[in-house]
Amino acid sequence: MSKRTVQFSIYRYDPDKDDAPYMQDISVELEPTDRKLLDALTKLKAKDDTLSYRRSCREGVCGSDAMNINGKNGLACLTDIDELKQPIVLRPLPGLPVIRDLIVDMTQFFKQYHSIKPYLINNDPAPERERLQSPEDREELNGLYECILCACCSTSCPSFWWNPDKFVGPAGLLAAYRFIADTRDQATNERLDNLEDPYRLFRCHTIMNCVDVCPKGLNPTKAIGKIKDMMVARAV
Amino acid sequence: MSIPVLKFDAVIVGAGGAGLRSAIQLSEAGLKTAVLSKVFPTRSHTVAAQGGVAASLGNSEEDHWHWHMYDTVKGSDWLGDQDAIEFMVRKANECVVELEHYGMPFDRTDDGKIYQRPFGGHMSNFGEKPVRRSCAAADRTGHAMLHAMYQRNVKANTQFFVEWMALDLIRDAEGHVVGVTAMEMETGQVVIFHTRATIFATGGAGRIYYSSTNAFINTGDGLGMAARAGIPLEDMEFWQFHPTGVAGAGVLITEGVRGEGGILRNANKERFMERYAPNAKDLASRDVVSRAMTTEINEGRGCGVNKDYVLLDITHLDPNTIMKRLPGIREIGLQFAGVDCIKEPLPVVPTCHYQMGGIPTHYSGRVVTPQNGDYNAVVPGFYAAGECACASVHGANRLGTNSLLDLLVFGKSAGDSAVEDLKAGKAHRELPKDAAEQSLARISAIDNRKGGANVHETRLAMQRTMQNHAGVFRFGDMLKSGVEKILEVEKAARELEIKDKSMAWNTARTEALEMENLIEVAKATMLSAEARKESRGAHVRDDAPDTPEFPNGRNDAEWLKHTLFNPVDNSITYKPVNMQPLTVEPIALKTRSY
């Protein structure tokens, strides 16, 4: 890849000076070593230090730089700049209040995550050594525990857009199933009770946007389906 | 201007592994604790750790903490304090088992125990043969650990201040630490956290180098704050590098690539390692390879526009071998270099990875400074743990998997010490009248300065200076000119200007404040490195070569001592290494070889 100039259309909003958000057309020249959308944002920020976004690990494990890229949620650090149609349209994650530019207020998202009691519940006295778990039982957690809480999934989900205060959303439900599936956890019934509600779980209509956008290749819809199955199983 | 004051028993700055582990101790002890973090806790850089955490659980074969201790002392090139090292390795099993109880999804052995794998430098029976000591959750150990500890804190109702940046340490006239100033990033509001205990768990400052495996947030904020408060920084010349990180991106490429036949080439396509290491060539030890790479770049044979990297070539290998043996590396090459290593060589540079030095601490987590002839006088009210602290367990070179162990053990012990000191029941000491003045002055200067230095360019100048003058292999003359250059950069870093004047989530201001912390670390590193006239561990210099009198260039008679860089006047003093373990015989000095 050589030097090239890339065109952007970026959602801008500074509550301190802007009456309303607007789209800013801007371009930047990239070095051959600039591969990822985040590299381009870094270059853009060097030109204009008012451009605001979150970022940290730049390798797809911290979940900071989720944004809406040409209409689809993703991580800037894992998105190849040269595979994007120009102008590259960047918007904040949809459905959450915008604080500034590409930075959204994630309070609602984390509130839902916290609502599922995202911690192991085991009331037996702690043994001196580790609790045993077979490799097969441990295998059940694969595809669940790797979530990076970037919110790409929940903010691509129409059910979450309509009811972010009532529907737990794919990330929170994936976390709920991560603990239900853990043989060391003793609170399965309590966890199912917590989700037995017309909104919290059952607003998932298997639209599967979450699966489509997850940068870690996880499948919240499948986890949600398993929780629904368990609800049905315990009802009969 | 009146600044809001929030009163807490304790404030923890940083919510990575060490901060979260400390927070569990304080929250579960029922103390009113605030945890400040620039990022949501699970975005802290502990999340990127891969290989595992060391503990002599002996789940797959016989192991013993004493063997782990020996390996750690030897790995440190004898610069680690043996009391702190014994303390750490003996706490390892307890700390790892606790994590499992918190719900961490460790991989498992067939009999259901925590899975353990071998790792570099970890041996059985005092250096005899590799031992499986690294407790792992796939290659995502840091992620699994950080999330499990965050979750435990949710359970314990820890009070987080998410996306708050700590600005300065508040010390009173007698030197007691009585809190920190901090800024809420969303609003720009500055607040005083008035406390009885202040724990720093702010991580490393790997971003002082141009090429780093570290996250953007690793800007040494705790070290900067400590330095501005007159606390010396210990052993800052010791940074761990890896020879092959992806140029520009910094993502690590395993040594296994060269094990499969990979060759390093310069801009002339020359296999330059043949000149430096005629027998081992590309498979020479890390310091030799890194020295050779640095020399090629310094002499103008680097590749690219800035001639600042070399090439790692495996295009001559059978593609099936690459797909079978190195599929992850091919993925990294595609993702972060845009290079299919089957067809094209990978651009690599020695990559900064871990800061061995830091804020001097006792193994209890209490911060210590020299005072009236006592090398280790406690700074009342101040604690530090994890990569920002120097206990010192890693000495001149850290073993893989000992970093996650460090943050668990010392995060916990700093928390325990704070609980113990707080229960002793002293009231809040009075805040100095000018408690927030330094922070407000810094912010005001950054906001209002015209014609100052650009943050991005200043940071780049620092990173290139550190990379070229204090890299993996060091040269006496390059260190000397590096000192001059970094002091020049420091001048610019004290005169930063930003265009963004908004109070709402002003990342330009945050980056300027971070730059003021980075430069403290960069300066401490360069000056400490220039001053240490021997080679030891990660600090290897050309004018301290391997001789019969000084094997590997190490000079114990003169240099078996910790550096203390005093940021107030840029002076350097030294303090003895503690060679006396807690209960066992000292691990005696000898030449380090594997």
Side-chain angles (χ1 to χ4, degrees), chain B residues 340-354:
Chain B
D340 182 350
C341 61
I342 290 173
K343 297 173 189 148
E344 279 181 82
L346 294 157
V348 292
V349 284
T351 300
C352 168
H353 187 53
Y354 187 88

Side-chain angles (χ1 to χ4, degrees), chain A residues 212-232:
Chain A
D212 191 36
V213 299
C214 178
K216 307 306 284 184
L218 309 179
N219 189 335
T221 307
K222 192 171 153 197
I224 293 167
K226 287 190 174 174
I227 302 176
K228 286 179 176 170
D229 290 347
M230 292 177 84
M231 291 275 194
V232 173

Side-chain angles (χ1 to χ4, degrees), chain A residues 14 16 36 45 49 54 56 58 62 64 100 114 118 127 129-131 133 138 145 147 149 178 184, chain B residues 43 59 100-101 103 105 108 112 114 143 150-151 163 212 216 249 335 499-500 502-505 507:
Chain A
D14 176 357
D16 251 15
K36 300 297 175 186
K45 190 164 179 60
D49 70 7
R54 293 185 177 102
S56 184
R58 60 83 173 89
C62 82
S64 297
R100 181 177 176 179
H114 291 145
R129 288 290 298 245
E130 66 264 50
R131 295 195 167 99
Q133 183 174 51
R138 166 61 184 78
Y145 81 95
C147 172
L149 299 174
R178 176 252 174 273
R184 300 169 296 174
Chain B
R43 317 213 188 289
N59 283 354
E100 194 282 326
H101 293 163
R108 300 290 173 157
I114 292 171
H143 172 281
Y150 175 67
Q151 291 159 356
E163 294 171 329
S212 172
F216 280 102
Q335 274 278 359
K499 305 290 183 210
D500 190 348
S502 176
M503 288 305 283
W505 209 290
T507 49

Side-chain angles (χ1 to χ4, degrees), chain A residues 18-36:
Chain A
D18 301 325
D19 294 331
Y22 62 97
M23 297 304 289
Q24 179 190 27
D25 294 323
I26 188 168
S27 65
V28 68
E29 192 186 15
L30 299 181
E31 295 294 323
T33 47
D34 294 323
R35 299 281 155 193
K36 300 297 175 186

Side-chain angles (χ1 to χ4, degrees), chain B residues 239-254:
Chain B
W239 285 83
Q240 181 160 83
F241 288 80
H242 193 286
T244 56
V246 175
V251 180
L252 204 67
I253 302 217
T254 176

